Amino acid sequence: MSGIAIITEACIDTKDRACVDVCPVQCIYEFDPQQNLLFSEVEHGSGVIENTHQPNPDAIAIFGDSVLYVNTDECTSCTACYQPDVCPVGAIYSEEHVPDGSSGKKYNAEDPSKGHDHTFFIQLSRDVFAD
């Protein structure tokens, strides 16, 4: 399916959450390490949980709670979250437009995939949801 939203490295340690507010199906998730749970809110900061999923421990370990995640099985390709005026750091792309250049930033000290290109996030988006 074309148009699936992919959140990339610019979201790391930013997590602005403007994308959460515009998502009509609440497919953008945050990781809660205390509960070991991926959750989406009806509106960011509301505390009203719309959906939850169990994370894949290997995939979630790469970025943990430092980034937001799109559940690609739930995304309807509506394009709302990757409009230029939504994400203040430009972290969200449609799957077919994710840049394939090398990242200029180390993702984290534990990341065994240092030096991978932005397209790494396409597979990560699929891998992070275990259920």
Side-chain angles (χ1 to χ4, degrees), residues 84-130:
D85 61 339
V86 175
C87 181
V89 294
I92 309 174
Y93 298 88
S94 66
E95 181 176 23
E96 59 276 353
H97 292 105
V98 172
D100 62 0
S102 295
S103 171
K105 176 180 180 177
K106 286 185 181 177
Y107 300 120
N108 68 37
E110 309 297 316
D111 184 358
S113 304
K114 289 182 183 84
H116 50 63
D117 67 31
H118 296 76
T119 58
F120 169 83
F121 290 88
I122 296 171
Q123 190 61 47
L124 179 70
S125 296
R126 289 177 170 76
D127 291 347
V128 77
F129 293 86

Side-chain angles (χ1 to χ4, degrees), residues 1-6 70 72 75 77 82 93-96 126:
M1 177 180 244
S2 65
I4 297 290
I6 303 295
V70 172
T72 58
C75 181
S77 305
Y82 54 82
Y93 298 88
S94 66
E95 181 176 23
E96 59 276 353
R126 289 177 170 76

